[in-house]
Amino acid sequence: MTPCAAATAQPSESAPSLPLPLPMIEARGLIKEYARHDGITRVVDGVSFAIQPGETLGLVGESGCGKTTVARILLRLIEPTAGIVLFEGQPLPPGSSAQMRALRRRMQIVFQDPYAALNPRMTVEQILAEPFIIHREPPPEGLPARLAELLRSVGLDTSALARYPHEFSGGQRQRINIARALALRPRLLVLDEPVSALDVSVGAQIVNLLRDLQRTLGLTYLFISHSMPLVRYLCDRVAVMRRGRLVELGDCIQVCDSPLNPYTRQLIAATPRMPSAADSLTR
């Protein structure tokens, strides 16, 4: 065998594999129980999942299945009965601690009701400035410039600063809620049914805004919804909850097209479908 042939016959060294990135946030075995007069009610039962940086995970299920409770546990707005939450690989400290207060800059929530989430006695300028005051973190570019930038990022003009929440439509109020959530430049946004209280056309505008913001700012989303078509449009993966438990978790398109769990199939089958022109011709 020639030296050239011998060199060719030698197995090539494989390139070292790159370490997998840490999840932005991870839930492990979350349980939440409440005491009632007739005993203990478990509303979240062993929920585990992880969300990678830049990913959108949809959390779907019928009303009362525990979706919002899971979201509040992730943000330490309530404490779990059992289980842990890790943010960028580190366990979250107790919700009342100074360490958790500092972490709140990096994880924010957009609530479901754009009407109830804004203080009616505060102007938009006061609402958007409040996160900087609470966290004692003035923006380096100056507060007026940052507030103007926030409004532009959600498609509103700076003339909104002097106005009150009642002067805006539902869609505009939700844009203000999103701007407030973005104020401290978080890395994770929990979106708790952010369009369910809006008209369909306005909701579509908000969903497209969220997609644009994610691409521009590199955000990570937990998107809570009961609408499978909406989750399919926006999310990379989907987790399906029923009665406090995850019953299915996987790639969004795959789960929507080929669901494995009977409950997931029920959710998809219950989605209203507009009749097509072909359907009308066959009648």
Side-chain angles (χ1 to χ4, degrees):
M1 181 181 294
T2 65
C4 183
T8 305
Q10 292 177 357
S12 60
E13 294 184 4
S14 59
S17 58
L18 296 175
L20 294 175
L22 284 173
M24 178 64 65
I25 196 162
E26 183 178 1
R28 295 183 182 175
L30 295 184
I31 294 174
K32 183 61 180 177
E33 296 176 338
Y34 291 102
R36 299 179 48 174
H37 68 279
D38 56 349
I40 300 295
T41 298
R42 179 169 291 191
V43 296
V44 174
D45 190 2
V47 169
S48 299
F49 59 81
I51 311 177
Q52 296 298 324
E55 182 184 35
T56 300
L57 176 69
L59 186 59
V60 301
E62 61 194 7
S63 297
C65 70
K67 305 185 300 293
T68 296
T69 302
V70 168
R72 291 176 180 271
I73 292 174
L74 292 182
L75 297 176
R76 271 299 190 267
L77 298 177
I78 58 175
E79 296 290 333
T81 305
I84 62 171
V85 177
L86 296 94
F87 185 78
E88 296 182 324
Q90 298 299 317
L92 288 185
S96 59
S97 66
Q99 296 92 335
M100 189 64 228
R101 183 187 180 95
L103 275 176
R104 294 200 191 283
R105 300 184 183 98
R106 299 158 72 184
M107 49 172 65
Q108 291 290 316
I109 185 170
V110 176
F111 292 101
Q112 176 178 355
D113 188 348
Y115 303 93
L118 299 174
N119 189 330
R121 300 191 178 194
M122 297 174 69
T123 65
V124 171
E125 182 175 13
Q126 293 171 320
I127 289 169
L128 296 184
E130 191 174 30
F132 302 103
I133 296 171
I134 291 173
H135 289 275
R136 298 172 184 169
E137 188 177 305
E141 66 269 43
L143 188 59
R146 179 59 177 157
L147 299 189
E149 179 187 13
L150 286 170
L151 286 177
R152 285 194 300 269
S153 71
V154 297
L156 295 176
D157 189 78
T158 54
S159 61
L161 287 171
R163 296 160 62 188
Y164 288 86
H166 72 269
E167 300 179 64
F168 296 92
S169 66
Q172 290 171 326
R173 294 183 198 187
Q174 197 62 299
R175 289 173 186 267
I176 295 167
N177 281 315
I178 294 170
R180 178 177 58 185
L182 294 174
L184 298 175
R185 296 184 172 92
R187 300 195 61 191
L188 170 71
L189 280 189
V190 173
L191 307 165
D192 188 5
E193 301 202 41
V195 299
S196 64
L198 304 176
D199 293 339
V200 173
S201 60
V202 176
Q205 295 171 17
I206 297 298
V207 168
N208 287 327
L209 170 65
L210 291 170
R211 290 191 73 174
D212 293 341
L213 289 170
Q214 185 176 41
R215 292 167 181 165
T216 303
L217 303 176
L219 297 167
T220 302
Y221 289 159
L222 173 64
F223 185 79
I224 299 172
S225 179
H226 57 265
S227 169
M228 291 298 287
L230 193 56
V231 166
R232 177 177 182 141
Y233 175 74
L234 186 65
C235 300
D236 301 298
R237 291 187 302 132
V238 60
V240 182
M241 281 192 72
R242 185 187 189 198
R243 297 177 182 173
R245 296 183 177 183
L246 284 189
V247 297
E248 190 157 355
L249 173 64
D251 176 80
C252 196
I253 302 301
Q254 182 176 353
V255 170
C256 289
D257 288 346
S258 304
L260 299 177
N261 189 274
Y263 177 70
T264 308
R265 292 196 287 270
Q266 291 177 20
L267 279 182
I268 296 171
T271 301
R273 186 177 69 90
M274 293 297 292
S276 65
D279 292 335
S280 300
L281 290 174
T282 57
R283 292 178 181 174

